[in-house]
Amino acid sequence: MPTYAYACKDCGHAFDIVQSFSDSSLTSCPECEGTLRKKFNSVGVVFKGSGFYRTDSRDSKGSSVSSAPAATPATPAASPAPAAAAS
């Protein structure tokens, strides 16, 4: 079962609680009966092994992924020559 972190908006009391996925979120602070908010932490995920990178599925001779043909850049339209300044 996951552990959830809560913090009270009113008194600042922070705590962790183990809850089931089917349990509803807590709404009142156990210290002051104030409003609780659920805190979210970053999740540390580490992918180990083969198959997680694009280069893992390639053979040693070259790419197994077909690439689209390269688009040719459009040629810029000819711009009129600047007028010579009269001296």
Side-chain angles (χ1 to χ4, degrees), residues 27-82:
T27 56
S28 62
C29 176
E31 298 286 319
C32 72
E33 298 297 320
T35 306
L36 285 179
R37 67 179 175 89
K38 192 180 281 189
K39 294 169 44 178
F40 294 97
N41 298 323
S42 62
V43 178
V45 178
V46 178
F47 295 105
K48 294 184 178 181
S50 62
F52 295 108
Y53 297 96
R54 192 172 138 186
T55 56
D56 288 343
S57 62
R58 295 182 180 181
D59 61 1
S60 60
K61 294 181 183 176
S63 172
S64 63
V65 178
S66 62
S67 60
T72 56
T75 57
S79 59

